[in-house]
Amino acid sequence: MHSTWYTFGALLALAQLSSAVRVHIENTQPPANKYVTHCTLIVDGDLYGCVDGSSEPFDKGCGGNSGVATHTICDSAAVVIDWDTLKVTFDNNAGDHSECTLDTDQPGGECDMP
């Protein structure tokens, strides 16, 4: 009987993990100026209809930003990154909200949004 509950619990935990969407930051360069580097937030998956999207670039390269900045993503949503705490907040026009904390502000920094 106990093994049935353990199996059910494991499946439930797996279902919750698989519903998370990974976001990460990467350095990007504008096509017209390869000497300028910005940091961009990238969505890997479907986050409330924002599918595999990327944000407008943040001012500096990953690791060089500070303060709080808001940028659009997927035309109808906004991402806010608090570069001091690494908290990422996602909100869209439909009222959907999600947040997570990046593991680093360096290129490749990531977190999972529920």
Side-chain angles (χ1 to χ4, degrees), residues 10-72:
L11 288 174
L12 183 60
L14 183 60
Q16 289 175 341
L17 286 175
S18 65
S19 66
V21 175
R22 179 179 170 259
V23 297
H24 69 281
I25 54 174
E26 294 295 337
N27 282 327
T28 57
Q29 295 174 317
N33 190 348
K34 297 291 184 185
Y35 300 104
V36 174
T37 300
H38 300 285
C39 192
T40 302
L41 180 90
I42 300 168
V43 174
D44 293 326
D46 184 347
L47 183 61
Y48 301 112
C50 179
V51 181
D52 299 330
S54 59
S55 72
E56 294 176 321
F58 293 89
D59 292 338
K60 298 181 180 175
C62 298
N65 293 284
S66 62
V68 177
T70 303
H71 287 288
T72 60

